[in-house]
Each structure stands twice: as C-alpha cells, then as structure tokens.
Amino acid sequence: MSGFSYDITDVVHLLQLRVRHKNSSSMDVNCPFCGETKGKMNVNLQKNVFRCNRCDASGGMLELYGRLHGVSSAEANRQIREALGKGEYRTDYQVVHKEEPVEIFNAELADADVIDRTYQEMLSLLTLNDKHQEDLKKRGLTKEQIEIQRYRSVPLFGIKNMVQKLLQSGQTVKGVPGFYEDQDGKWTINFTSKNSGILIPIRSMEGKIQGFQIRLDQVMEGRKYIWLSSVKFQNGVSSGSPVHVIGSLDAEQIYLTEGALKGTIAHYLSGDTFICVAGVNQYRNLKPVLETLKSRHLQHLYEAYDMDKKMKVYCDGDSEKCDACQRKPATFYCPHKMQKRQILQNACRKVYEICSGLSISMSRMVWDMDSYGEWNGQIKGIDDYYYVLKNTG
C-alpha cells in the first residue's frame, strides 16, 4: 500500500491470527470479530483489505488492527510502526498460530466459454448414482428435470484417467476451478472421498456452467455444501462464487434465494425465475446480475432466504454451542442464535441497499410463521415451502 512501510501480512502476523490457508494473492484466517474457527476471513494481500464471509466484517489493514484494539486509524498506524520497528508482536490480542503455510501459486481464471466447454465435457464422462437420483426426486425434481440440469455424482475413482481424457479431447483445464497440478506436475481435479456428493452446476444467465457446488454426502465442518475449488493447490483457481440463474430472464418479478439446488427446485415447483447466491453474504456478484435483468424487464425482487432469518432467539438449552456458553440459566436469550440472526438480517439489508441503488423495488417472503412473527421451525427453505404447497393442494 502506497505510503506505508508495511502491509496487511505484517498486521496479520502482528495480531497472530490463525492462518488456515495462503496463496500468492490471499490468505484465509479465523475471523477475530465473530469468532469463527474455519478460516472464513479472506485477507487480500494485493489490495491490503479483509472481509469475513460469515459476519461481513471488512476494511483495510488499519481498520483490522484498530477495531480489535479500539483505536483510531492514526493510532493503529503508530502502534503498528512501533511494534514492527522493535520486531515485536503485541500479545494483548492473540490467536495461536501453529504453523507456517506453504505458499501456493494460482492460475488465472479461464474464459467463461472455456470453463463451460470443459465442464460440459466432464459431465459427459460422469454419472449420477441411484441414491443421489432418489435424493433429488424426494426433494421434488423429476427424472427429466434432473437430466436437464445434468446433476452428477462426484467420482470416487478413475479421476486422473478422466482428466487425461479431457486433455486428450482438447479441453483446457488450467484456470478452470477444481483442476490443479499435483506434486508430479500432472493435472488432476479436487475430487476426494471427503467431498463426495452431488455436483450442482452453477449456470450464468446465458446458461453456461460457471462452476459447481457439491452437496456433500457427509457434512464437513458444519457445511452441507462446498464449492468445487482448487485454490489451495498449485496452479489451481477459486470458483469465484458465481451466481446461479434459472428461469425467464424477461420476468418482471424475480426471486432471490441461497443455494443453486434450492432455487432450481423452487423454480420447477413454481415456474418463477430464481437468482441463487451460495450464501446470504455472497452478494458481491449479485449487483451485475440485477443490473442486466433490470435492463430487460425486472421490476421487483422477492428476497426468499431461509426462514432462520426469523428464528426464535431464546435459549432452549438444546444447541451444540450450549456447553461453551456461560449465560445460564436457560431463560436468557441465546447469544449464538442472536448473532446468527443478526448476520442474516445484515445480509438482507445489503440486498435492499443494492436494489435501492438500482431503483428495483424489493420485499421479503416469509412462511411458517407464528402469531409473534417468528419462524415456527418446520419449513425452512423456499423449496420446502413450495413442495408443501404442491403436495397439500
């Protein structure tokens, strides 16, 4: 950063934040603001900025330091310079750093047409197993709809042979999310037994496959869905969290939800057009999609995020977080639930701000509510809601 003798890497080390992953342009660290421990905070080493994908805390390197120590940017700069000049790290805010990450160099993201061609060819080499097909049918999809969307199962063997077939057919894998070079310098893809599940194509407004989410067979670190990404590997690349769009692009009323599979099911059950982000805080790629749709016929956006945006926040003593919570007895509000609902509501406000800036009217969809305006806890997603409507007539 111009005018500074240090950068955000120095600040991260100074604060001793836990680094989960690092490459040539960014690192993922545990967020010191919301306390998550999965490396949800991304630190951009080129722009010297940070952002947490869970709580949405963001800013520059002085704000990272200043907010944690309760000082102004000017005072943060003074303290950082002093600490670095002495070769010391402050210890009054500390997250244990256990290991030095191995630096990985990533490839540039390939052109959208290249990515689509490679993925389309890859899908032609894969199948959908019976269990996954039955799971999708139980959620409301027909066999024909499943095939139209080209859902496939993550392969558990023959992975390198598949990649070799792609290369032999003239496909490009460098710069395509998921592909990377192994220790022997040979191209492979990030399919393992840990991320086995259903490949969910993420399609652009033009219908091109931009990436994949994987609906995991086994929940991983509290997550049911992960991106097919190779950002942690040599010459790999991040998915970039693209937005999935399904339905008529000329619709005047369009729905926004979280999760491509959820939005696709809701589309088939309702006929409505859905824009699907990976999570409520993944709104950075949303604005250009809305701009394009506004230039067509979009007039109103319905926010149809999951109903935990209206979850009850009292303590029921039945959460996995309870053992670590010091707020007793169980008559108090649950701080974990309050924080989660606040994060969801903050994300909703971000979407409202984007729509306001584009002069698009917006309203919230809610369902399964009690007399107090809170979620009953039964029907969570918009796909679940439409499924219930369809089957109860």
Side-chain angles (χ1 to χ4, degrees), residues 135-256:
D135 288 344
L136 292 170
K137 287 181 179 179
K138 288 177 181 178
R139 295 191 60 171
L141 293 175
T142 66
K143 183 177 180 179
E144 292 74 19
Q145 291 165 349
I146 291 169
E147 186 51 41
I148 288 171
Q149 292 303 310
R150 303 197 74 188
Y151 295 132
R152 298 289 187 268
S153 300
V154 171
L156 300 180
F157 55 87
I159 294 168
K160 289 192 174 182
N161 287 337
M162 180 198 71
V163 175
Q164 191 61 33
K165 287 181 180 179
L166 290 175
L167 293 170
Q168 290 172 351
S169 68
Q171 303 302 322
T172 298
V173 297
K174 185 175 183 180
V176 178
F179 293 91
Y180 67 96
E181 287 183 316
D182 64 16
Q183 294 179 343
D184 298 324
K186 295 182 179 180
W187 284 102
T188 186
I189 189 170
N190 189 20
F191 288 150
T192 69
S193 58
K194 290 183 179 180
N195 65 13
S196 67
I198 305 174
L199 278 173
I200 310 296
I202 309 299
R203 298 180 183 274
S204 67
M205 286 183 286
E206 296 78 22
K208 296 175 183 176
I209 300 178
Q210 311 167 88
F212 290 95
Q213 282 188 298
I214 301 174
R215 186 181 188 278
L216 297 169
D217 291 332
Q218 302 292 331
V219 174
M220 180 189 303
E221 298 180 344
R223 295 178 295 171
K224 293 181 180 178
Y225 291 85
I226 61 171
W227 283 104
L228 174 60
S229 170
S230 49
V231 70
K232 298 181 179 181
F233 303 98
Q234 197 68 28
N235 262 325
V237 65
S238 168
S239 67
S241 300
V243 176
H244 178 71
V245 182
I246 183 167
S248 172
L249 302 183
D250 292 319
E252 295 182 357
Q253 298 180 337
I254 291 178
Y255 296 74
L256 170 69

Side-chain angles (χ1 to χ4, degrees), residues 273-344:
T273 299
F274 275 81
I275 301 172
C276 313
V277 293
V280 294
N281 276 324
Q282 300 296 313
Y283 52 79
R284 285 172 293 176
N285 294 324
L286 178 62
K287 184 177 180 180
V289 173
L290 291 175
E291 285 177 329
T292 300
L293 293 172
K294 171 72 185 301
S295 70
R296 298 172 74 107
H297 299 286
L298 173 61
Q299 296 181 11
H300 188 84
L301 184 74
Y302 287 99
E303 175 262 290
Y305 287 150
D306 285 356
M307 279 304 293
D308 45 10
K309 65 194 174 192
K310 287 287 188 179
M311 71 168 70
K312 296 178 174 69
V313 295
Y314 61 80
C315 176
D316 55 13
D318 193 32
S319 169
E320 60 183 13
K321 303 286 184 179
C322 288
D323 289 341
C325 181
Q326 301 301 313
R327 297 188 67 175
K328 307 290 183 180
T331 53
F332 287 94
Y333 289 122
C334 170
H336 170 66
K337 292 179 181 178
M338 291 178 69
Q339 182 188 56
K340 183 177 180 180
R341 191 167 80 168
Q342 187 62 50
I343 289 171
L344 292 168

Side-chain angles (χ1 to χ4, degrees), residues 76-91:
N77 182 38
R78 188 194 69 77
Q79 291 185 15
I80 293 169
R81 288 168 60 89
E82 179 182 3
L84 293 174
K86 292 180 179 180
E88 297 175 354
Y89 289 156
R90 294 177 63 94
T91 58

Side-chain angles (χ1 to χ4, degrees), residues 247-273:
S248 172
L249 302 183
D250 292 319
E252 295 182 357
Q253 298 180 337
I254 291 178
Y255 296 74
L256 170 69
T257 194
E258 50 186 297
L261 179 58
K262 182 180 303 177
T264 298
I265 294 171
H267 160 72
Y268 281 124
L269 291 173
S270 67
D272 297 321
T273 299

